[in-house]
DNA sequence: CATGAATGAGCCTTCATTCAT
DNA sequence: TATGAATGAAGGCTCATTCAT
């Protein structure tokens, strides 16, 4: 007798709940504060049951990463469907990144942990591979738009320059800005704590420097950003308080 | 009779060695993989001796950060003495950052770990304050140069924009690039592993976008970079293999 | 499915055994000689298991005290039901104290140790409060009988004197006598080692001095003592070898 | 060249200081808070030097006990010289006990420790023997006065009764009262915290019960107590705040 | 399948004691 | 003789993981 579909569904749901609970602990109390006992207690399941879903604590962390990693990839892919010229579409990807950082602030931290510790050894390799695949999907969205822009003549790639480089630059500006936010909180420096306005402006400066047309002097990218929030991410924007 | 000078020196040297050993463990095995037992074993000293130098495990980590934090601050301050126009001087600071990342690749990672766990409570507060001070020194060097540029009319700050924003943008490009490098190693992606050329170009794009004169089309910043390496950081460049 | 009844019983039994083992260590080797490792070793259980019963070493000590504290309170309360005039009833409480000292000779020592170190902070507060409550119950039995005696006109309380004072005096004679016994063993002095006859006589002297009627010259309190042993504490008397 | 007398004196003085410092730590922080490091730090001598005076930590505790034990014996012996009838002289010994408890409140605690732990094994046996001898001197003072009283016809010893028993009774009342004081502090019970008035009255009740003449109804023992404080212990009374 | 008691390696930290200088 | 750096055995406690029920 094969496991019934209902059973299957219940198991999948529980797995999600475990990841959720573990995520909460990870965010609130750090990797050290995340213990199998606490997960089990909060789940109102026994530890043994947790171990039927995940082969180790590390595997749980990898699952957390997988979950938010996929969410990010989906956000990016949705952003790419934004209707507009290529630079506007890249702007929509930026909006996706903003929303992701706002809604899943733990992701960065979990990512560091996964890389730092020898977690990979103890996590299910399917999960770690899935995480990597999600990252490539995100990067692929950005470089895809850039290639469209090249094809459409909206940007010119100088000799020795590549679309990957430009994508990396944008990615850096975003990652750096949010890292700075966390850093600022740590240093208790008020100024650093809201990096968003600076980030938006810096991204425009950078793309202007790259000559990606229309330049920010020729087009209102803040309006495009608003449109993307409205058209593509109405739910997420509301949840992130950016509606 | 006070402890002999020789003894004193030996102790100071050992303290450095402890920090080195601990750093190695931290980078290789993460915060959790760093234990006082392992430090002692690798040092071939007893645990008690380690505790005569540092009051807790957290204190050791803070010492790691202090050590490289000060080195970075000094590199930045030396860079600011580079002779040239303001954008060239900022370029020299970029060189300092490059060298720091090349020579102390762990610092970023250690910093992340330190913030993730509540180090501050158990580390000697002098050390944590010193770390923060070093960061402010670095940031101050960059904003100082930007203020010089504003005063000299080489850059214009639009309404609502600040020198801190621009400094943050540059900082992000650098941090992001090196984060990407580590990430790329993790993903075993060869392309990402050498982010330097892209970083240099991206920084120029960004500053061009900001309108910092002379633009990269008007001045050979690669030549300036070579000069900074030669004039300010000959030793470090050699050690980093950038000579 | 809740833990089976058998399992539950085993666990409760083990908890008692832990307290017993810990008590032995405490008496033989003092508070410092009592370690969780030794308890675990003697129990032939792992340390982790001990910690599933008690939250800390201090909690174990508090449990020791709770256990014998409650036994004492119950003995005292049973003694108060002795049928006779008020001084005879107080005599029965004295019998309860004798039996308690004979059967739980460690209690006093454990109590001293517990107060000397800051147990309260780390022990489960329920346990420490329970210990205090037991002591108040004992003291309350004695003062209750004294108030009966005052009401019945068998004793007169002079101005400035209180029933608590008299109770304290009796308590002191008992505590002192048994402390002297331990002391005598320590000093290897044979004479001091059997303080009981002296104690009984001293208590009568004291109560005679207080004018509690009938005086020891008017009533055979040794006979009352025998009756109390027989009527109220037959089991305990046998176990203590006083039958 | 034999060690000079000056040197000898210095050494003896330092030994006293060590005992003083250790005593302070023992009283303030308990046995666990008493460490050789703290003693050395407070002495401004090195740990090695402490070990030239005492063979172990336990030996230091035994020295503390020896010091206050001898003080007590001397107080008792001085009390025995009080001029008056035998019961008054015993009262003076009670005053000595009062003062000792007031001025050396740690003694009891240290005594418990010494007995509880296997301190004796690690302390110099000369010291532990000296402690025992001091106690016997104290007990001897009390029984001596009682024998005088018997010889003088002021008290009658019934068949089966001994002077040691009566001495034990008194000793119990004193020990119990001060134990109760500590206990009361622990239980945070205000009533118990000043046991002195009750103790004085209880002792009189007890001795009246023993028929030691003159009875408390025939003589003002509070006045005798005042006289003893004045004539024998003026200094100690002032230091204890009883002047 | 679910449970949770049991395990035991491992962690951080302390401190009495020793001994080269 | 004095010093204090070095030692290392413990100690209390945690927690990932297993397995009998």
């Amino acid at each position: 007798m094969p496991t019934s579909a209902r059973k299957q569904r219940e198991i999948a749901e529980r797995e999600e709940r475990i990841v959720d609970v573990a995520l909460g602990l990870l965010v609130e109390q750090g990797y050290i504060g995340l213990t199998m006992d606490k997960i089990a207690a909060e789940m109102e399941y026994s530890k043994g049951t947790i171990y039927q879903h995940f082969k180790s604590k590390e595997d749980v962390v990898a699952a957390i990463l997988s979950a938010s990693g996929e969410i990010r990839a989906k956000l990016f892919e949705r952003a790419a469907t934004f209707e507009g010229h290529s630079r506007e579409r890249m702007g929509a990807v930026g909006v996706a990144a903003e929303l992701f950082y706002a809604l899943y602030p733990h992701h960065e931290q979990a990512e560091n942990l996964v890389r730092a510790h020898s977690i990979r050894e103890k996590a299910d390799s399917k999960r770690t591979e899935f995480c990597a695949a999600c990252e490539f999907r995100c990067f692929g969205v950005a470089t895809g738009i850039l290639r469209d822009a090249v094809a459409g003549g909206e940007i010119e790639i100088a000799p020795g320059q590549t679309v990957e480089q430009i994508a990396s630059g944008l990615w850096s500006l975003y990652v750096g800005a949010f890292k700075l936010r966390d850093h600022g909180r740590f240093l208790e420096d008020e100024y650093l704590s809201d990096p968003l306005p600076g980030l938006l402006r810096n991204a425009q400066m950078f793309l202007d420097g790259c000559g990606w047309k229309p330049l920010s002097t020729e087009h209102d990218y803040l309006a495009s950003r608003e449109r993307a929030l409205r058209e593509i991410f109405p739910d997420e924007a509301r949840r992130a308080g950016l509606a």
Side-chain angles (χ1 to χ4, degrees), chain A:
Chain A
M1 181 180 53
T3 312
S4 77
R6 181 177 57 71
K7 206 79 188 170
Q8 291 279 24
R9 207 178 338 107
E10 277 177 20
I11 288 176
E13 276 165 17
R14 188 163 59 212
E15 195 153 320
E16 273 183 51
R17 269 198 62 218
I18 295 173
V19 171
D20 264 5
V21 165
L23 171 55
L25 288 166
L26 185 66
V27 170
E28 283 167 35
Q29 313 192 35
Y31 183 76
I32 290 175
L34 170 65
T35 72
M36 299 306 260
D37 278 275
K38 288 183 192 166
I39 295 173
E42 196 149 321
M43 288 287 295
E44 295 187 317
Y45 272 98
S46 72
K47 264 188 292 184
T49 304
I50 312 291
Y51 273 93
Q52 248 150 15
H53 291 273
F54 301 97
K55 53 190 284 194
S56 68
K57 176 183 169 179
E58 285 73 18
D59 204 24
V60 174
V61 176
I64 292 173
L65 214 60
S66 296
S68 52
E70 176 153 43
I71 288 169
R72 180 167 62 178
K74 283 186 175 159
L75 287 176
F76 272 49
E77 282 158 357
R78 271 165 63 201
T81 68
F82 186 60
E83 294 196 15
H85 52 71
S86 61
R87 186 162 161 177
E88 271 187 302
R89 287 172 62 222
M90 186 64 97
V93 172
V95 170
E98 270 180 52
L99 290 168
F100 183 73
Y101 270 102
L103 296 171
Y104 305 90
H106 68 277
H107 183 87
E108 199 73 23
Q109 189 184 339
E111 218 172 21
N112 285 332
L113 282 165
V114 168
R115 244 171 300 141
H117 310 314
S118 47
I119 282 195
R120 271 182 304 175
E121 293 167 19
K122 300 179 78 184
D124 192 310
S125 62
K126 280 180 196 162
R127 263 192 255 271
T128 55
E129 282 160 21
F130 181 77
C131 288
C134 288
E135 298 201 42
F136 281 116
R137 279 162 66 190
C138 291
F139 205 73
V141 165
T143 52
I145 293 173
L146 269 157
R147 286 199 191 87
D148 289 350
V150 172
E154 287 145 340
I155 194 170
E156 247 176 277
I157 299 297
Q161 198 180 23
T162 65
V163 292
E164 282 83 4
Q165 268 173 24
I166 296 171
S168 302
L170 275 171
W171 182 90
S172 292
L173 287 172
Y174 274 82
V175 166
F178 289 104
K179 191 173 160 65
L180 209 50
R181 178 195 59 189
D182 296 336
H183 210 133
R185 285 178 189 160
F186 176 75
L187 295 174
E188 289 165 13
D189 181 302
E190 274 182 53
Y191 165 71
L192 298 174
S193 298
D194 182 18
L196 191 58
L199 168 60
L200 294 177
R201 184 184 291 267
N202 284 340
Q204 299 307 342
M205 299 289 103
F206 174 61
L207 296 181
D208 284 353
C210 292
W212 195 342
K213 285 168 199 146
L215 298 186
S216 69
T217 49
E218 303 159 356
H219 181 90
D220 183 353
Y221 284 104
L222 280 179
S224 300
R225 178 173 171 276
E226 295 299 325
R227 185 159 67 86
L229 282 168
R230 225 170 33 239
E231 292 180 5
I232 313 272
F233 303 113
D235 278 12
E236 287 82 2
R238 191 171 5 85
R239 278 164 48 213
L242 292 177

